[in-house]
Amino acid sequence: MAVATLSACTTPRAAGLIDFERVLASEHSATAALTQWCRVRGIANPPAIIAQQIKSEAPPTPPAILELLAPGHGERIAYRHVRLICGDEVLSVAQNWYVADRLTPEMNRTLNNSDAPFGRVIAALGFTRELLASEHGRSPNCPPDTILSQSALLRLDDGRPVSAVVECYTSANLAGILSSGR
């Protein structure tokens, strides 16, 4: 009874955001979660995610990111800034700092020269995703239409960190929910 009462007070936007967060939490890869969300919500058919690179000079790696990634002597930190797109919709804008030397040379070439999403490129490494922070709305480095901001650490199967990401999920994720009432 309490659940029914609580859900009756929830707006379609809030319910949609809760559903969206649930899908994100169900996967180790944001790419896999967005693909699932894109399919379920009918955002595009086929529900393929591309990572459109935002060409800009890499910012200095923040000290907190360096601490999280704990690169070994001589290990390079690479940076990738992308828009994750399904169909015509930008679902996320992501900044990704990763230890390039913990990936294969082929993975690094693919990340540098294609629109393949990071999670798909490194899937063979069997990584896990550790959510570090999640905030409804826009965090300081996110675009204005951000509905959810998350930061996460991706770890290899041996526990070593491989990537630290800051993800800004856009209102496009809830567009169909808001127009249909759910």
Side-chain angles (χ1 to χ4, degrees):
M1 183 82 151
V3 173
T5 305
L6 179 61
S7 63
C9 298
T10 304
T11 66
R13 179 182 175 92
L17 188 55
I18 290 167
D19 289 345
F20 180 58
E21 286 180 284
R22 196 173 291 130
V23 170
L24 287 173
S26 73
E27 299 284 349
H28 288 299
S29 163
T31 303
L34 287 175
T35 301
Q36 179 184 4
W37 185 253
C38 187
R39 180 182 45 75
V40 169
R41 297 302 313 158
I43 295 170
N45 188 13
I49 302 295
I50 65 161
Q52 179 185 66
Q53 294 197 43
I54 299 171
K55 300 295 183 187
S56 61
E57 194 164 322
T61 304
I65 298 290
L66 282 173
E67 188 175 328
L68 284 170
L69 293 176
H73 180 70
E75 285 187 315
R76 297 170 294 129
I77 301 293
Y79 175 78
R80 197 167 191 237
H81 191 193
V82 299
R83 290 178 194 91
L84 294 175
I85 300 171
C86 186
D88 295 329
E89 300 296 333
V90 176
L91 301 182
S92 175
V93 176
Q95 295 182 78
N96 181 358
W97 291 267
Y98 58 97
V99 184
D101 297 306
R102 295 181 186 164
L103 307 180
T104 67
E106 181 60 31
M107 288 174 182
N108 281 301
R109 273 192 296 280
T110 300
L111 290 169
N112 289 332
N113 300 311
S114 78
D115 286 340
F118 188 83
R120 189 175 308 136
V121 171
I122 73 160
L125 299 177
F127 68 90
T128 57
R129 175 184 167 95
E130 176 184 334
L131 184 62
L132 301 175
S134 186
E135 176 182 345
H136 287 186
R138 180 176 174 241
S139 68
N141 294 322
C142 289
D145 70 336
T146 299
I147 58 164
L148 178 68
S149 307
Q150 291 191 338
S151 60
L153 185 64
L154 306 183
R155 292 183 182 275
L156 299 174
D157 60 1
D158 65 4
R160 290 181 301 155
V162 68
S163 168
V165 294
V166 175
E167 301 155 332
C168 307
Y169 295 100
T170 70
S171 59
N173 289 287
L174 300 182
I177 294 167
L178 297 178
S179 63
S180 69
R182 171 80 176 131

